[in-house]
Amino acid sequence: MATGEIESVLKLANEFSKLPGVGKKTAMRYAYYIIGLSNDGAKTFADSIMDVKAKVRLCEECGNFTEESPCSICKTRSQEIICVVKEPKDVVAIEKVKGFKGVYHVLHGTLSPMQHIGPNDIRIRELLDRVNRYGTKEVIMATNPDVEGDATALYIANLLKPLGIKVTRIAQGVSMGSELEFADEITLSRAIEDRRDL
Amino acid sequence: MATGEIESVLKLANEFSKLPGVGKKTAMRYAYYIIGLSNDGAKTFADSIMDVKAKVRLCEECGNFTEESPCSICKTRSQEIICVVKEPKDVVAIEKVKGFKGVYHVLHGTLSPMQHIGPNDIRIRELLDRVNRYGTKEVIMATNPDVEGDATALYIANLLKPLGIKVTRIAQGVSMGSELEFADEITLSRAIEDRRDL
């Protein structure tokens, strides 16, 4: 510890530096912000951290984060169409669009031989169980458009299709508002492959 | 609150969004990181926030943040040369350079008629008192090189010079490693004005 550095501030900056994408300098800036807070302000901040840990758990149905299980989505919507995603934050992203009226299933990961993540490490069994229980008609695979997301989608599709369930994959192609000239090769070839009638 | 959003998580994200430079999306990413922590991990985080508020106060001498007053710098170094800065984080920046062996004086602001910050709102009286008490020989004005920093430096210099104290200002000029072509006009004209013999 250099002269003039303060132990409790360094400790707090160290906690902040564990947040995703936060480096040492930013963490120190955050810590200085906390020093500037009122006692009440700091307590509200600290309490809200503990509160999240105390209240948030996984929905027994979809595996999304929730304060009460089953979650508000599973409780109120039809289980006829299930949208499968990798992580809870993907649910937030799709919910923002507002077009989708079905339920979700959060895998909490995707298959990755490199990282030793196999079918039993993500919530695939729970998905099969759900589909059986509710007589689900369609499962939309909305895992990320990357190698692992594609592999996971294919793996699950092969399990579900023999049960007579329709399995779809979110469309891949050029992004709205982007310029063709800057699209990468794979994206462009997918966009052409998956072209549709006008 | 949209369906699927979690109250305690939104509250925590709201706290994170108050940190300097943190937008809504980043705040939500931070909140999700907290959900993923162990209970102990979250407690350590929350405790370190409360700890900083409980322990950190201002040094009675220099006004810098410290856990014990006078701070480790004021306690161990000569008060012959005092370096005056705007904020505590400026002390951290200068200490990193390691060349300066004097003490600091944190103003906690600079003069700003626009924001109604006058001489009595920043720690100028405390500086004069210190200079008298310790027979300080030189005061280095290291406020920021902007209009308010310059005005504050000049104001304090005019108070100290009649007392026979040497008052200096940190050099302004082109930054090391930068290119002349991109330096702004004022910086460049200062660099020429303050040229030195080689």
Side-chain angles (χ1 to χ4, degrees), chain A residues 15-188:
Chain A
E15 291 300 319
F16 276 127
S17 73
K18 294 176 191 166
L19 293 172
V22 175
K24 271 190 177 179
K25 271 199 166 174
T26 304
M28 196 50 101
R29 247 184 38 236
Y30 291 173
Y32 272 91
Y33 164 81
I34 298 291
I35 302 179
L37 281 180
S38 67
N39 282 328
D40 280 356
K43 193 169 176 327
T44 305
F45 204 138
D47 284 351
S48 65
I49 289 176
M50 295 310 290
D51 220 36
V52 155
K53 282 307 296 181
K55 288 182 180 165
V56 175
R57 52 210 165 108
L58 299 189
C59 168
E60 67 207 80
E61 286 289 349
C62 69
N64 192 12
F65 293 139
T66 182
E67 287 186 5
E68 43 183 298
S69 180
C71 71
S72 58
I73 294 179
C74 284
K75 223 163 46 185
T76 57
R77 298 195 196 161
S78 153
Q79 305 262 341
E80 243 178 42
I81 305 181
I82 297 180
C83 178
V84 178
V85 297
K86 182 186 180 189
E87 290 174 291
K89 53 188 162 204
D90 299 327
V91 175
V92 178
I94 299 178
E95 275 300 292
K96 270 201 188 117
V97 186
K98 293 197 163 71
F100 180 66
K101 293 295 170 211
V103 293
Y104 297 90
H105 191 85
V106 183
L107 294 172
H108 288 277
T110 37
L111 298 176
S112 170
M114 298 282 287
Q115 289 171 65
H116 305 284
I117 301 175
N120 291 326
D121 301 316
I122 58 179
R123 300 179 69 257
I124 293 180
R125 203 177 29 237
E126 289 86 343
L127 175 63
L128 296 178
D129 171 58
R130 238 176 127 190
V131 162
N132 277 328
R133 234 175 330 123
Y134 292 104
T136 300
K137 300 226 162 59
E138 179 178 353
V139 170
I140 304 172
M141 294 304 311
T143 48
N144 291 330
D146 53 24
V147 176
E148 292 166 1
D150 281 350
T152 308
L154 204 63
Y155 181 89
I156 293 178
N158 287 334
L159 291 176
L160 291 175
K161 276 187 198 157
L163 310 176
I165 293 155
K166 184 179 173 189
V167 186
T168 55
R169 180 89 172 102
I170 49 167
Q172 289 178 39
V174 289
S175 309
M176 187 66 197
S178 68
E179 302 190 37
L180 276 199
E181 118 182 68
F182 301 121
D184 66 281
E185 265 173 61
I186 300 176
T187 298
L188 213 47

Side-chain angles (χ1 to χ4, degrees), chain B residues 134-163:
Chain B
Y134 291 106
T136 301
K137 300 224 162 60
E138 179 179 352
V139 170
I140 304 173
M141 294 304 311
T143 48
N144 290 331
D146 53 25
V147 176
E148 292 166 2
D150 280 350
T152 308
L154 205 63
Y155 180 89
I156 293 178
N158 286 334
L159 292 175
L160 293 175
K161 275 188 198 158
L163 310 175

Side-chain angles (χ1 to χ4, degrees), chain B residues 70-188:
Chain B
C71 72
S72 59
I73 294 179
C74 284
K75 225 164 43 186
T76 56
R77 299 194 196 162
S78 153
Q79 305 260 341
E80 245 179 39
I81 305 182
I82 298 180
C83 179
V84 177
V85 296
K86 180 185 180 190
E87 292 174 290
K89 52 188 163 204
D90 299 327
V91 174
V92 179
I94 299 179
E95 276 300 292
K96 271 204 187 117
V97 185
K98 293 199 163 72
F100 180 67
K101 292 296 169 212
V103 294
Y104 296 89
H105 190 84
V106 183
L107 294 173
H108 289 277
T110 38
L111 298 176
S112 170
M114 299 282 286
Q115 290 170 65
H116 305 285
I117 302 176
N120 292 325
D121 301 317
I122 59 178
R123 300 180 69 259
I124 293 180
R125 206 178 26 241
E126 289 85 342
L127 175 63
L128 295 178
D129 172 59
R130 237 176 127 191
V131 162
N132 277 327
R133 234 177 328 124
Y134 291 106
T136 301
K137 300 224 162 60
E138 179 179 352
V139 170
I140 304 173
M141 294 304 311
T143 48
N144 290 331
D146 53 25
V147 176
E148 292 166 2
D150 280 350
T152 308
L154 205 63
Y155 180 89
I156 293 178
N158 286 334
L159 292 175
L160 293 175
K161 275 188 198 158
L163 310 175
I165 292 157
K166 184 177 173 190
V167 185
T168 54
R169 179 91 173 102
I170 49 166
Q172 289 178 39
V174 289
S175 309
M176 187 67 195
S178 67
E179 300 190 37
L180 276 200
E181 123 181 64
F182 300 122
D184 65 281
E185 265 172 60
I186 300 175
T187 298
L188 213 47

Side-chain angles (χ1 to χ4, degrees), chain A residues 4 6 8 12 15 18-20 22 29-30 32-35 37 39 42 44 48 52-53 56 65 67 72 92, chain B residues 4 6 8 12 15 18-20 22 30 32-35 37 39 42 44 48 52-53 56 65 67 72 92:
Chain A
I6 310 162
S8 60
L12 177 56
E15 291 300 319
K18 294 176 191 166
L19 293 172
V22 175
R29 247 184 38 236
Y30 291 173
Y32 272 91
Y33 164 81
I34 298 291
I35 302 179
L37 281 180
N39 282 328
T44 305
S48 65
V52 155
K53 282 307 296 181
V56 175
F65 293 139
E67 287 186 5
S72 58
V92 178
Chain B
I6 310 162
S8 59
L12 177 57
E15 291 300 318
K18 295 176 189 166
L19 293 172
V22 174
Y30 291 173
Y32 272 92
Y33 163 81
I34 298 292
I35 302 179
L37 282 179
N39 282 328
T44 305
S48 65
V52 156
K53 283 307 297 178
V56 176
F65 293 139
E67 287 185 5
S72 59
V92 179

